[in-house]
Amino acid sequence: MNIKKDPELKTFFQELRKQDEQLVIPPFPELEKKNRILWWIPAGIAATLLLGAFFLGGEKTDPIPPEVLIITLEEGPDQELQFHIQETNEMDLWESPTASLLTEY
């Protein structure tokens, strides 16, 4: 439907335009610009950095290596399987279960 072909629609929109022209639009209040910097944001960042440096920047000590628990399953007399448990602080004593494949075959 076209407005040019329908005079009722044309008059309806003209009346709406006249009503809109009579509307009083209140002025928009202007906001005051505040040029102050919030002092607590940089102070909070600085305090966080100081606390982080204090707690994380302490003396570095070498951690004690954890104990290593080596559990091996060996065939004993009468073809019994026996567990051997060995505790150590060094990983040098451990031998992988497939290491024997390199030497035997």
Side-chain angles (χ1 to χ4, degrees), residues 72-84:
T72 56
L73 183 63
E74 294 179 0
E75 188 174 331
D78 300 327
Q79 295 182 342
E80 294 176 355
L81 295 178
Q82 296 178 349
F83 285 104
H84 291 280

Side-chain angles (χ1 to χ4, degrees), residues 12-102:
F12 174 75
F13 282 112
Q14 283 177 351
E15 289 175 13
L16 280 178
R17 285 187 190 124
K18 287 179 185 176
Q19 289 175 1
D20 284 347
E21 289 173 358
Q22 295 174 2
L23 284 176
V24 177
I25 300 173
F28 187 77
E30 290 190 28
L31 300 175
E32 294 180 18
K33 291 184 180 180
K34 296 182 180 181
N35 290 334
R36 66 179 187 148
I37 296 175
L38 299 174
W39 61 270
W40 54 272
I41 293 175
I45 293 172
T48 303
L49 290 175
L50 284 174
L51 285 174
F54 178 73
F55 286 116
L56 299 177
E59 291 183 17
K60 301 281 183 179
T61 58
D62 292 333
I64 299 171
E67 287 189 15
V68 178
L69 187 64
I70 301 173
I71 302 174
T72 56
L73 183 63
E74 294 179 0
E75 188 174 331
D78 300 327
Q79 295 182 342
E80 294 176 355
L81 295 178
Q82 296 178 349
F83 285 104
H84 291 280
I85 300 174
Q86 183 180 12
E87 292 182 26
T88 180
N89 286 340
E90 297 180 12
M91 239 357 232
D92 295 338
L93 300 176
W94 180 78
E95 183 177 327
S96 72
T98 57
S100 64
L101 294 175
L102 296 174

